[in-house]
Amino acid sequence: MSQRFNEYVDEYQNVHIQDKVLGQGGQGVVFRTKDPDLAIKLVTDESGTPVTDEESVERYSKRFKRVRLLPLPENLNISVPAALLQNNAGYVMQLLSEMVPFSHFWLDGKSAENIGIDDIPAWLSAMPENEAKKIVHYYRTGGLRRRLHALYKCASLLARLHGNGMVYGDISPNNIFISEGLDDSAVWLIDADNIRFEITAGGGVVYTPKYGAPELMQGTDGGRPQSDCHAFAVVSFYLLSMLHPFNGQYVENGGGGWDSSEADKVLEKDPVIMERLRGIKEAQEWSWEETYAYSGYIPYVDDPADDSNSSTHCLPRSLLLTEKLTTLFEGTFGPGRTSPLLRPTIYHWPEALAQAADMTVTCPGCSMNYYYDFIHPETEDHNCPYCKKQRPQVLILESYRWNGPDKPINSPCWRYVREIPQGTELTIPRRIFDEFAMLDSDTAEVLISSSNNGILIKKSDHGKADLSVAADSHPQSGFQKLYSQMKIDRVTPDVQFWMFAHLNSPRLVKCMISGGGK
């Protein structure tokens, strides 16, 4: 490395010049290079100094080479080592330009400076300025919908990895990247050198403090899929609610409201764990309350059986979590907190997160997202829970499994809701018309646009479904096959029509355009 120019040479004699730092932790630092699609992971010691001694460089190089030999699934968005560095413990990896870490979803000092007093809307005026800025930043970075969709994509990556028998190891907001533009939602994992096959004990276990599973912090188990599930759930809860799932009143009040003697009794029986936690506490400069909470000895903030660590801070979870997501969080942080095998597997998360994202609408008044079926208690109508503005005109698709004309239609298996202003075109993904599949559920199947004259339905260039359409206003005509596009007359503001799709599993889809109200 040239100290003067921050140059790094890889094993193929390519020279890389350091650009801005993307993230830094206990394991090392990741920074972009002057090549916009490449980044470098540089291993550092405890003081933050790059590791350059020959023996350590050789040891890390062998580890990075093993990662390149792992049987990773094809087309998996994980930035693996592309070239090892010379004279430094580190490697070059692909990282597309215009991608940012999940940590950008949280308000930092620079983002706070970009939010002035005039940027805080009236409905947030009663809040402390810093808390109001957090919510402004929340909707400026895509709100609830973008966070749910990003987490669904991340969970899909982890599910494919777990399906091949491997564990990611160090899930944290700095290791998950998303496209910077709000119109793109590609998600990548970096820091792939921790990927390994499942281990029950031994080896170097790596995790990020506050996100690591209790068994990793306590040193009682090795890296397993269940450990990934805990870390992913912490990232998800924190990202959606802006509240760490274990940072409740017990932590804030210095242990008040919970009898920590129970944790003390457990730790006294195992001095090895106690000494390990003491080392973590000192290294992280935590209080004992924080150490107990983050290492799995304290209930989580929404534990239905124990409210001693509850919290009403940040956004209300009742506005953020569907019933399925609530069940997953309770399973992970409730029984799964002390028994890793009781945690829901990662395979439950992608579908639950995608379903939640698909049921959100964006308020035209305050830009916050909320679930389309929310009824405001004051108006008893479909109004925004934040600013009370009426729900905008929305397209609601309800997808039913079709088992034949003589079989009853049960509850919808999927709902897709989007605001549909006049003149806009919505892209309807494949998951509305077929069983949910992680690999292609986002693929465009149909395009729908609305105007004063009618509704235009077009097949996507990527569409595979055999589609037919029927308008409620012309039931006698029945279903007509959709070859390219079809127009449905708009007699009233509220329109209803039907689509029938045949892919792997037939679907009858009820389509409604509604301007709001009950």
Side-chain angles (χ1 to χ4, degrees), residues 383-453:
N383 294 83
C384 173
Y386 302 101
C387 73
K388 298 183 183 178
K389 189 174 182 66
Q390 189 177 43
R391 189 182 72 186
Q393 178 175 262
V394 291
L395 170 69
I396 303 174
L397 305 182
E398 293 182 346
S399 181
Y400 300 85
R401 288 187 174 87
W402 177 257
N403 298 312
D406 56 340
K407 301 291 184 180
I409 295 178
N410 297 316
S411 300
C413 58
W414 203 279
R415 286 187 176 90
Y416 185 85
V417 183
R418 284 295 181 270
E419 52 281 0
I420 183 167
Q422 296 291 328
T424 60
E425 186 174 71
L426 294 182
T427 300
I428 311 302
R430 182 167 296 162
R431 57 182 173 270
I432 314 304
F433 305 100
D434 200 8
E435 296 292 346
F436 177 81
M438 291 180 290
L439 287 177
D440 65 355
S441 70
D442 278 347
T443 303
E445 199 67 44
V446 174
L447 306 173
I448 298 178
S449 57
S450 171
S451 67
N452 291 327
N453 297 325

Side-chain angles (χ1 to χ4, degrees), residues 286-305:
W286 288 343
S287 65
W288 272 116
E289 289 77 21
E290 290 174 303
T291 307
Y292 282 156
Y294 300 142
S295 56
Y297 291 101
I298 310 298
Y300 99 107
V301 294
D302 289 338
D303 194 314

